[in-house]
Amino acid sequence: MPEAWTTYLGERAAAQRDGGRWRARRTHHPRGPLRDFAGNDYLGLARDPRLAEAQAEGARRDGAGAGASHLVSGHLAVHEALEQRLAALTGRPAALLFSTGYMANLGTLQALCDGETRLFQDRLNHASLLDGGRLSGARSRRFHHNDLGDLERLLARTPAEGRRLVVSDGVFSMDGDVADIAGLAETCARHDAWLMVDDAHGLGVLGEHGDGCAGRAVGPERVPVLVGTLGKALGSAGAFVAGSQALIDHLIQFARPYVYTTAQPPGVAAATLEALRLLEAEPERRTHLAERVTRFRAEAARLGLALSPSTTPIQPLVLGDSERVMRWAERLRERGILVGAIREPTVPRGEARLRITLSAAHADEDLEALLEALSALYAEEVSA
Ligand SMILES: *Cc1c(COP(=O)(O)O)cnc(C)c1O
């Protein structure tokens, strides 16, 4: 290896290790003994055999892969059907399927923004939105988290003419709190700005129909650009943008991460269609999940655990420094519990946390085991 590269890789790795930020993967066994409170499979659909069957059937019918990008010959009837279902679910005229949420956000921001666009992002927005903003070359500002006053101040300081886009997560992925969609929409209307909401963690969970926090009840007039992902509550993979036909046509022309990539495997689209059928046919999954969240919070409060204020299945326990978070996560693992250990740069320094996620797939014993393990660790630490 040329020395410049050896040195570069070595130095970067050392800095990462020394800063306590080293990331390592561990092979996860979905049917293994660990109780999984780390994933985003909120409705327990990812391992539902009906999705697997739909996926296999889709693959047998159309092939394991789509074979080409959407604009060449990869756009299949199953993709078309899925886009229509997603548009109907969210109450939008049209929807466009992307292979991942990361690509949907990069593609949308890059297609909508250029050097003339003023872009305003919540400072806790998902990395894909922040990266998309950078890629787009827009003139970007970040407003304080969920702070309409700060957004208002930034909007008031920019010239009234020209295109302005405000972007927010619907449910914040590391905090679990929900954006004030009505407030954002109202602020945008007053300043003639467009609003884009990425509801990756709200879709399937929130809303009367599982249509998320900016779905049918909100509508395209207030949230003209809506992003949803299919790999979380819907248990499959991929993402979509929903909005006016003009928006979708624009993305088909200009969103490079849409144009220059192979369409998602048809079996995956078929599995998502099955997930959408179950979302409607089995609403008890959502009510059961909501009850779980309420019960977990009540019991955690009784144990003295200071959970972040969140009403969604994302229930963070902020512990402060990275080392403490890694220690807690390891001790929980020893007790058969898997939770997310989230450190900087994913969250700000000093706000490292356990990201505990609840799912309709959990049994009562799972929740009890989690609470017992957390309470034991907490007691150990208090007495130490
Ligand atoms: C997970 C996530 C994404 C990325 O979606 P993928 O389909 O996993 O690439 C985008 N936005 C938010 C808010 C997310 O939580």
Side-chain angles (χ1 to χ4, degrees):
M1 216 176 353
E3 196 184 315
W5 284 111
T6 323
T7 311
Y8 176 72
L9 298 190
E11 282 174 3
R12 293 297 304 269
Q16 193 79 345
R17 283 209 168 85
D18 295 348
R21 292 185 298 271
W22 188 254
R23 298 169 186 262
R25 300 170 306 163
R26 255 178 160 140
T27 306
H28 179 63
H29 304 281
R31 298 185 206 283
L34 283 177
R35 303 179 201 265
D36 186 353
F37 288 95
N40 305 310
D41 180 24
Y42 305 120
L43 297 177
L45 288 173
R47 273 142 213 150
D48 189 299
R50 292 168 290 182
L51 265 71
E53 188 43 48
Q55 185 161 345
E57 211 176 288
R60 276 192 293 269
R61 186 185 57 225
D62 295 328
S69 65
H70 284 276
L71 287 170
V72 179
S73 61
H75 189 64
L76 310 181
V78 70
H79 298 129
E80 188 65 29
L82 179 53
E83 288 180 346
Q84 285 175 13
R85 275 301 292 268
L86 291 166
L89 174 70
T90 55
R92 272 28 183 207
L96 188 72
L97 195 58
F98 282 77
S99 295
T100 73
Y102 194 97
M103 299 219 301
N105 284 336
L106 286 195
T108 303
L109 288 170
Q110 167 258 312
L112 288 178
C113 303
D114 56 25
E116 304 295 302
T117 321
R118 306 277 185 157
L119 182 63
F120 304 86
Q121 301 222 37
D122 186 294
R123 58 183 293 270
L124 295 190
N125 275 354
H126 190 261
S128 56
L129 291 169
L130 302 175
D131 292 356
R134 222 175 317 157
L135 179 71
S136 76
R139 297 162 79 171
S140 284
R141 298 301 303 268
R142 286 161 82 167
F143 55 94
H144 297 311
H145 176 51
N146 250 340
D147 185 340
L148 292 177
D150 195 38
L151 172 62
E152 177 81 44
R153 190 178 59 81
L154 293 177
L155 280 165
R157 282 205 314 218
T158 59
E161 68 279 359
R163 287 172 291 117
R164 296 187 279 179
L165 182 66
V166 174
V167 184
S168 179
D169 277 20
V171 173
F172 287 86
S173 50
M174 297 300 138
D175 293 75
D177 56 336
V178 186
D180 176 358
I181 302 292
L184 285 168
E186 200 270 323
T187 306
C188 286
R190 241 175 321 104
H191 289 274
D192 237 358
W194 248 14
L195 177 59
M196 169 173 173
V197 172
D198 171 1
D199 204 16
H201 297 274
L203 192 83
V205 174
L206 304 178
E208 196 192 334
H209 311 276
D211 50 335
C213 68
R216 268 182 257 179
V218 172
E221 303 76 24
R222 290 200 281 170
V223 177
V225 187
L226 176 62
V227 177
T229 69
L230 308 171
K232 285 159 184 163
L234 292 174
S236 172
F240 67 95
V241 179
S244 67
Q245 191 61 52
L247 170 71
I248 299 309
D249 287 343
H250 181 83
L251 295 179
I252 294 172
Q253 312 308 309
F254 301 113
R256 296 171 64 86
Y258 179 78
V259 175
Y260 296 105
T261 202
T262 301
Q264 83 172 178
V268 175
T272 309
L273 277 170
E274 178 64 5
L276 290 171
R277 187 184 74 75
L278 295 174
L279 184 68
E280 198 177 306
E282 300 177 356
E284 65 276 11
R285 286 176 187 267
R286 278 182 288 125
T287 41
H288 183 61
L289 176 61
E291 283 162 17
R292 276 289 152 75
V293 172
T294 309
R295 188 176 145 213
F296 175 67
R297 289 193 65 83
E299 307 250 328
R302 213 169 42 74
L303 295 172
L305 295 167
L307 294 172
S308 304
S310 155
T311 54
T312 67
I314 302 170
Q315 293 291 325
L317 182 61
V318 176
L319 294 175
D321 70 274
S322 312
E323 231 171 276
R324 188 167 175 222
V325 161
M326 297 314 280
R327 190 171 67 241
W328 274 58
E330 194 47 47
R331 299 298 308 278
L332 286 170
R333 177 182 275 273
E334 287 161 15
R335 292 167 175 269
I337 308 272
L338 185 62
V339 300
I342 313 290
R343 301 168 284 174
E344 67 164 327
T346 307
V347 293
R349 177 185 299 236
E351 293 179 32
R353 66 197 63 184
L354 297 179
R355 180 177 179 271
I356 300 165
T357 54
L358 303 178
S359 165
H362 291 139
D364 285 343
E365 307 94 83
D366 294 326
L367 200 60
E368 277 149 29
L370 169 67
L371 285 160
E372 204 178 293
L374 285 171
S375 130
L377 282 186
Y378 185 63
E380 269 173 40
E381 216 158 89
V382 170
S383 66

